[in-house]
Amino acid sequence: MSAEGVSTGATQLVEHFFRHESAKLIAVLTRAFGFSRLDLVEDKVQESMLAAMQAWRQRGVPTNPAGWIYRVARNRILDALRREEAHQRALALSHQTEADVELLVTEWLSEDQLPDSLLRMIFVCCHPALDRRSQIAMTLKILCGFSLAEIARGLLVSTEAAKKRVQRAKKTLAQQQVEIDLPSSAHLQARLSVVQEVLYLMFNEGYSTSQGIEPLREDICEEAARLCHLLCEHRAFSTPSTRALMALMLFHASRLEARVDSQGAVVLLADQDRSKWDRQLIAVADSWLERSKGESPSRFHLEAAIARVHCQADCVSSTDWGLIVRLYDRLLALNPSPLYILNRAVARGESGEVDAALADLESIRTGRAMSNYSLLDCAAGRLHELADNDAAAREAYTAALSAAVAPHEQALLRKKLEQLLPDEPA
């Protein structure tokens, strides 16, 4: 291979490891040396990645690249800590030596110990002391290896705002003296539900970005599903609701390829090429949903069941909309969310109950949560289309366009309005 080929291969491999291996290393080293040293740990891991890129360009990629980076990062942080008087005093008080700490880190970096360290870090990033967007930012930064620029793009803020959000989150957790530990059995369900919610919101933001230029971010979807799968592999966290969340993510992920066209524009469900749906992934999702059965279904179960109905249908007209309406009825019994009312209204309209569906939309129009919410007018536009009332549909889509924020949403609405223009007289 040419020198240029080795250089390119080394760069790509380091980028791969920074995304997929840095989280493991940060989790282990933070667990070993405490959350107060998270910044130091991140710095040394990043230095190790840069050192790998330089060394591998010159000498080629080692047989065990992960082990190489682990060893370099571990040695760099231990060298830094040897210069810290506070660290040396802590070692003396705990009757430990540098060799003891090195052995502990090496043990935690073993394949059978890594998942435990990663799970501990998930619960730290999703600590209830943080607001939801800070939890997502911390998860993307620490566990997904995202840069601040990528976090900013994912959360639709400036890079500086993303940096400040992550810094505030770290400061909050340090002040709370958060331990790198799993929740006790007494707090398990409450903490697990927080983690599930963060991963759910992460996936949703990737699946349909609310303001960004890109209509979807597959990398965010992938990372949310990866972390959910990690929960599913742990006996304490692989609850029926966790497995249902895994199913929900995979049902939606199976349709990602069909959600945008060759120009990157959004394609609505009714217009998607269903031959592009990943049938193998749908089968896997179905398996997770079957394995999620418990005494009482969670909202993840019901949302996954709705997603499965869509995935099983050959087209919009053959979809079992009546079943979807009934599933939304059950969701509303669990959580009377106006968003569920909106989605149920669309399903009622598709099943032929357009007047009742429009009444449902009007019932939530005055609510604070729905003010300036473009999807409410989008739903009304679709219902008027089903009723063959093109004039009312155009009015609704025009109202939605005035409230839409994301450029891809605006483009989609303009396209809908063009399709509804009345035919010019001959």
Side-chain angles (χ1 to χ4, degrees), residues 227-254:
L227 295 174
C228 186
H229 190 264
L230 189 63
L231 290 176
C232 288
E233 290 182 322
H234 191 283
R235 184 175 62 181
F237 308 129
S238 185
T239 62
S241 58
T242 302
R243 295 192 289 272
L245 177 58
M246 185 80 260
L248 174 61
M249 289 182 180
L250 295 181
F251 278 128
H252 286 318
S254 71

Side-chain angles (χ1 to χ4, degrees), residues 362-378:
E362 287 305 311
S363 73
I364 58 174
R365 187 173 288 279
T366 56
R368 182 183 300 178
M370 291 287 111
S371 62
N372 296 320
Y373 190 57
S374 63
L375 286 184
L376 183 58
D377 288 310
C378 286

Side-chain angles (χ1 to χ4, degrees), residues 203-265:
F203 188 94
N204 281 355
E205 183 53 45
Y207 191 74
S208 181
T209 54
S210 52
Q211 294 180 0
I213 295 174
E214 300 171 79
L216 59 87
R217 289 284 306 274
E218 289 190 47
D219 52 349
I220 295 181
C221 292
E222 179 183 340
E223 293 299 330
R226 179 179 66 84
L227 295 174
C228 186
H229 190 264
L230 189 63
L231 290 176
C232 288
E233 290 182 322
H234 191 283
R235 184 175 62 181
F237 308 129
S238 185
T239 62
S241 58
T242 302
R243 295 192 289 272
L245 177 58
M246 185 80 260
L248 174 61
M249 289 182 180
L250 295 181
F251 278 128
H252 286 318
S254 71
R255 307 200 301 264
L256 281 171
E257 185 181 351
R259 290 198 70 242
V260 292
D261 62 21
S262 57
Q263 284 75 46

Side-chain angles (χ1 to χ4, degrees), residues 15-78:
E15 290 174 351
H16 167 82
F17 274 105
F18 189 78
R19 180 73 86 200
H20 295 283
E21 302 293 332
S22 65
K24 301 176 185 177
L25 193 49
I26 289 171
V28 168
L29 293 173
T30 305
R31 180 182 175 188
F33 301 112
F35 190 84
S36 62
R37 291 194 175 88
L38 176 58
D39 286 335
L40 174 64
V41 167
E42 287 185 293
D43 288 344
K44 296 307 174 184
V45 170
Q46 187 170 17
E47 285 179 16
S48 302
M49 298 294 170
L50 293 173
M53 189 178 297
Q54 294 168 357
W56 298 355
R57 279 174 176 169
Q58 296 173 0
R59 299 190 292 272
V61 178
T63 304
N64 181 9
W68 192 101
I69 291 178
Y70 291 169
R71 184 171 61 256
V72 171
R74 180 197 63 195
N75 292 342
R76 284 174 182 260
I77 194 169
L78 286 171

Side-chain angles (χ1 to χ4, degrees), residues 139-156:
T139 302
L140 291 173
K141 180 75 167 65
I142 306 302
L143 289 166
C144 304
F146 277 44
S147 67
L148 290 172
E150 288 177 308
I151 295 171
R153 194 154 56 101
L155 295 182
L156 312 169

